[in-house]
Every structure is written in structure tokens, then in C-alpha cells.
Amino acid sequence: MTVFSGYFSHSTDFEVHRNWLAITHSLPVSKWYHENTSEWTLDYPPLFAWFEYSLSHVAQHFDKEMLVVQNLIYTSPATILFQRLSVIVTDIVFIYAVKECCRSVREEKGSKDLLGHPFFILAALLLWNFGLLIVDHIHFQYNGFLFGILLLSVARHLQGRHLEGALLFTVLLNLKHIYLYIAPAYGIFLLRSYCFTKDNTDGSVRWSSFSPVRLVALGSIVISVGALSFGPFIAMGQLPQVLSRLFPFKRGLCHAYWAPNVWALYNMVDKALSVLGVRLKLLDVAKLPKASMTGGLVQEFQHSILPSVSPSITLICTLLSIMPAVLSIWCRPRGARGFLRCLVICALGSFMFGWHVHEKAILMAILPFSILAVESREDAGIFLMLTTTGHYSLFPLLFTAAELPIKVLLMLLFTLYSFTSLKKLFRGSLLNPLETTYLLGLVAVEILCEVVYPLSPWQHTLPFVPLLVTSVYCSLGVSYSFIRLYVSLLRQHGTDKHKQL
């Protein structure tokens, strides 16, 4: 189905990666981060560029024309076949990582029935993940390969193999820099729980247990992988150019489709206030900023009423949002599972407050959170809210009429399995009536966006409204899940203090 659907659907990311194949295959290394024939310039870290370079040597046996830089928007059948197959083959990493994660699951809550066992449910939630399926195999990206490395790193920490986990994450960070979102969780966890080998009786750090040898081992991993990745470009004096590609802050606060986060709600409030101000004749339309944030464009813009948000503001908000979680694993570490919870909160906090966040980044929280969801009733409830809302927010990635029944059917199947399997595992309902009502509201949103609005007279004059409605509604669910995760974390912290007393 995935290969078949690819022949009828060519997303922007399809051309992005074809162009990167051409750049890395046809040009010398010194020109990789300078080439700009296509608007889709190379903007991933060097290790991913070498990954594309490796793929290009296989791609040339399918169709050499795809490797010509000047062949923009090249979509021959052989090119499409290669791109789709390359994603499927590299998913082997993801499959192996899922196997390792399943080995690390706590089994005390498991049923005697294999299908009701936590490790089986986890395998299904990860391997059959709706978001990953549509983003990689219908829309097109290599997230399965990258998330495979992330999950394998998490599994190694759960297994107590911390140096391997650190090495895998360092490699991942040099493949795609978006994983900087969760770097604070890794850094603090490894420093606190690996470099310090013992705790005091009250759970606080025993400073005398610090191991310089372990710190040097971690530092050697980071430096050696970084040198392998960025070394050639540092030697050529191109580090500033590479960094300018990796961090293009002029792309604006929000992506073309607003990711369902705090800034989507912020933008909506600003837009509502500006419309109200114009209606009440309190504002002059001619004096409002020309670049509209509801135009569906990737650009910088100024808010009309509320203060405009800069990259530095988003950085401060992000750091503040993850600080309590990071401090919790320093002050009262709870082993690798405490680290995993912190990782999920860091991923979600960065998604909520980051600069120019892509909607696909929600998967960075959903996939690792699956492990906690099969071990805790409370986490299972939060997981269902976050996963259902986050997955629905990906619907705009597939916007053609032919893709509509595919995405609806796949999400229904995954969602029904998630609810029924976790309900059976924990023997009861996991959501309260208000949460259930909110999730049912997604059905109304879908009918409005796909059936009602296309028939309305505003379809041609205000085409961005369905995206706006989807983003804002999903923002409420994602924000709620983030708050519930923090409440859960603080409750655990309070319980630890009570036990000490």
C-alpha cells in the first residue's frame, strides 16, 4: 500500500531528499552546504549528508537522472520506487529497536494471554504507529530510521548500558539536530546517574562519588562523533555556513501549518483581537502588519495586537518549561524510567514552546511515551489523549481526496487498538467524560474541515481556515496532556518527599 500510494502522491519532502541525494553524489564535499540550485538546500547535520551519500550509490542503479542537481522535481517511476524502498529497508533499525524496548518492559501487569501482554501491546503501538506510518511511508521521510536509533538508545539506558545509550544518542544528534530538544534530559541523567555512582540515604547526590573516568568516557564519545561529523567542514573553514543552514531563524515563529502548540493559541488570540478591533473601529486595517500569520506561508511576521515573539523568547520559554523535569532527575533520580519521563517532557516542552516547530515533531514525545504507557495506568490515560490528538494533527500532511479514506481508516484502526488494548491491560476506562468528549470533538472537526467547509463560499477566499481550526483544536489537547504529565511528575516528587519524612 505504501509504495502504491507513493506513485500518486509526491510530497515536498520527497523532492527534498531527492535533491540531497543529487547534491551529495554529484558535488564535492566542500560544496554540499553552499549548493542552492533548489530551494530545498541541505539543512541536516553532516552525518545525515553522508547517509544520503551512501544511499545515492544505490540510487544510481535505479535511475541516474535523479542524481543530477539541475533535475528539479524529478519523479520517474524508478526514482519513486527507490525512495520508497529506501525507507522500508532502513526501518530495520526501528524494528530492532522496538524488539529491544519490549525486552525492557516491566512484566508484572501482564496478562497470561500473549495479545494482552505489555510487551506485545508496546510492539503494536510502536510498529503500527499511525503517525510514523503516514509521515514516512505516505508523506515520505526517514523518521523510522532516526526514531529507531532513539528508541535503541533509550532501551540501552533501561538495560543499564549507559555508554552505548550515550553513543547512540550522540550519533542521532549528528544525524538530525531536532533531537537537541531532548539533549538536556540525556545530559543531566548521564551526569547525575552515571558520573555520580552513589546517592546519600535521602536520595541526594553524594559529591564524593563523582567519577572523572566516566566523565572522560562520555566526553570522548561526544567529541569523537562530533569530530567525525563536523571535522571536515571545520577543516575547510565552513562551520559557520553549516550552522547557518542548520539554524535558519528567519523562517518565522510557526511553520506554514501551525504545529498544535502554545504559539498556535497565541496566534489565534492575536488574530481574534485584531478582527475584533477592526470590527469595533478601534484599529486601522491599513496600519496592521501586511504579512499575515494565517496565510499559510513560511515567513517572518509581526503580530497585530500581542507582542511579537522572537527566537530568544521561545528559547527562554522552552527552557523554563523543561526546567522542573530536568531538576527532578538531578535532585531525586528515579533511574532510567525517571530519565524516560524527563525525555518525554523535554520533547513535549520543546514542541509546545519552540521556534518554527514542525507538526511531525510530536512523534518525538509519542513514541518514547509508549513505553511508559504500558507500565502505568495514569500514563496510559495521558498517552491516549496525546496520541489521538497528536496523530490527528498530522492529517493536513495528507490533503488529497485519494488520501482521505487511507488516513481516516489507518487512524481509526490504530486508535481503536490503542484504547481497547490499554483498557484491557489496566482493566477499566482510562479517560474521564470530559476527556472523552474532547476526543469525540475531533470527529466534528474532521467533518467540518473535509465536508462542510469545502462546500462553503469561504473555501477560495480563506483556504487556511481548516488548518487553523485543526491546529487550534489540537493545541488544546496537546497542552492538556503536557500539563497532566507535569502534574504526574510533581505528584511523584511529592510522594518521594513524604516517604523521606
Side-chain angles (χ1 to χ4, degrees), residues 294-308:
T294 56
L297 300 176
V298 180
Q299 59 182 342
E300 291 185 285
F301 61 82
Q302 298 294 314
H303 287 89
S304 302
I305 306 297
L306 299 177
S308 292

Side-chain angles (χ1 to χ4, degrees), residues 97-111:
V98 170
K99 171 181 172 292
E100 291 300 299
C101 286
C102 291
R103 287 180 53 200
S104 306
V105 171
R106 290 173 177 165
E107 302 184 1
E108 59 267 27
K109 290 185 180 291
S111 165

Side-chain angles (χ1 to χ4, degrees), residues 259-445:
N261 59 15
V262 165
W263 305 125
L265 298 174
Y266 189 86
N267 291 344
M268 186 61 205
V269 171
D270 182 78
K271 191 65 177 178
L273 290 175
S274 64
V275 170
L276 183 63
V278 171
R279 290 286 179 87
L280 297 177
K281 297 183 179 181
L282 299 174
L283 296 174
D284 184 356
V285 178
K287 294 183 179 180
L288 294 177
K290 299 297 181 182
S292 172
M293 64 206 164
T294 56
L297 300 176
V298 180
Q299 59 182 342
E300 291 185 285
F301 61 82
Q302 298 294 314
H303 287 89
S304 302
I305 306 297
L306 299 177
S308 292
V309 180
S310 65
S312 59
I313 293 298
T314 63
L315 176 61
I316 292 171
C317 290
T318 300
L319 292 176
L320 290 175
S321 74
I322 68 174
M323 191 64 69
V326 171
L327 288 176
S328 73
I329 63 171
W330 174 267
C331 298
R332 293 292 183 272
R334 300 180 186 87
R337 278 171 175 75
F339 152 71
L340 179 54
R341 185 175 301 278
C342 180
L343 182 153
V344 173
I345 291 177
C346 284
L348 205 49
S350 299
F351 180 85
M352 293 293 294
F353 296 98
W355 176 265
H356 195 75
V357 173
H358 287 236
E359 67 282 353
K360 298 181 283 287
I362 193 67
L363 295 176
M364 197 186 304
I366 289 175
L367 290 169
F369 196 26
S370 304
I371 301 172
L372 296 176
V374 299
E375 296 183 343
S376 160
R377 181 186 184 86
E378 183 177 15
D379 287 332
I382 302 172
F383 172 82
L384 291 176
M385 279 291 296
L386 178 63
T387 301
T388 307
T389 308
H391 281 170
Y392 180 77
S393 74
L394 300 174
F395 264 36
L397 289 174
L398 307 180
F399 51 85
T400 66
E403 293 168 328
L404 177 60
I406 295 175
K407 66 184 181 183
V408 170
L409 177 61
L410 288 176
M411 179 162 176
L412 277 176
L413 290 173
F414 179 83
T415 304
L416 287 173
Y417 176 78
S418 300
F419 274 77
T420 55
S421 61
L422 291 174
K423 181 179 180 180
K424 180 180 179 181
L425 178 63
F426 294 104
R427 299 180 179 84
S429 178
L430 300 171
L431 302 179
N432 62 44
L434 184 60
E435 293 168 341
T436 302
T437 301
Y438 169 81
L439 292 182
L440 289 175
L442 293 172
V443 178
V445 172

Side-chain angles (χ1 to χ4, degrees), residues 3-216:
V3 176
F4 175 79
S5 66
Y7 275 84
F8 299 94
S9 168
H10 306 132
S11 69
T12 299
D13 284 308
F14 182 91
E15 170 59 17
V16 168
H17 288 279
R18 185 216 59 81
N19 185 55
W20 293 358
L21 287 172
I23 289 173
T24 56
H25 185 84
S26 305
L27 300 176
V29 176
S30 60
K31 294 185 179 180
W32 285 2
Y33 286 93
H34 288 276
E35 166 58 37
N36 60 1
T37 300
S38 168
E39 64 179 307
W40 311 117
T41 54
L42 181 58
D43 59 5
Y44 274 26
L47 274 191
F48 197 89
W50 287 111
F51 169 71
E52 294 277 7
Y53 174 79
S54 302
L55 289 179
S56 72
H57 284 76
V58 180
Q60 65 183 340
H61 298 292
F62 284 76
D63 185 350
K64 291 184 178 180
E65 292 301 309
M66 80 171 86
L67 302 176
V68 177
V69 174
Q70 288 72 27
N71 285 349
L72 303 181
I73 317 179
Y74 186 78
T75 56
S76 70
T79 300
I80 297 169
L81 178 62
F82 168 74
Q83 293 280 59
R84 295 297 179 184
L85 288 177
S86 66
V87 173
I88 293 172
V89 171
T90 54
D91 270 356
I92 293 173
V93 176
F94 185 76
I95 294 170
Y96 176 70
V98 170
K99 171 181 172 292
E100 291 300 299
C101 286
C102 291
R103 287 180 53 200
S104 306
V105 171
R106 290 173 177 165
E107 302 184 1
E108 59 267 27
K109 290 185 180 291
S111 165
K112 293 182 179 180
D113 177 17
L114 175 64
L115 300 183
H117 201 284
F119 77 77
F120 182 89
I121 296 172
L122 176 60
L125 293 177
L126 292 173
L127 294 174
W128 192 17
N129 183 271
F130 165 77
L132 191 58
L133 181 62
I134 68 167
V135 168
D136 273 16
H137 297 281
I138 300 179
H139 179 74
F140 185 80
Q141 277 191 349
Y142 291 98
N143 289 292
F145 164 65
L146 296 169
F147 278 122
I149 298 175
L150 173 61
L151 291 178
L152 187 57
S153 172
V154 169
R156 291 297 180 249
H157 286 303
L158 291 173
Q159 295 162 4
R161 297 157 66 175
H162 298 301
L163 283 180
E164 289 181 47
L167 174 61
L168 287 164
F169 180 70
T170 306
V171 169
L172 178 64
L173 204 54
N174 282 272
L175 283 167
K176 192 171 183 178
H177 53 303
I178 193 174
Y179 293 97
L180 279 169
Y181 285 177
I182 56 178
Y186 269 89
I188 297 301
F189 169 68
L190 287 169
L191 179 61
R192 176 66 177 84
S193 298
Y194 180 72
C195 292
F196 287 95
T197 59
K198 294 181 180 179
D199 294 337
N200 293 317
T201 54
D202 63 352
S204 61
V205 61
R206 181 177 295 182
W207 296 100
S208 61
S209 69
F210 176 71
S211 171
V213 174
R214 291 190 172 194
L215 181 63
V216 170

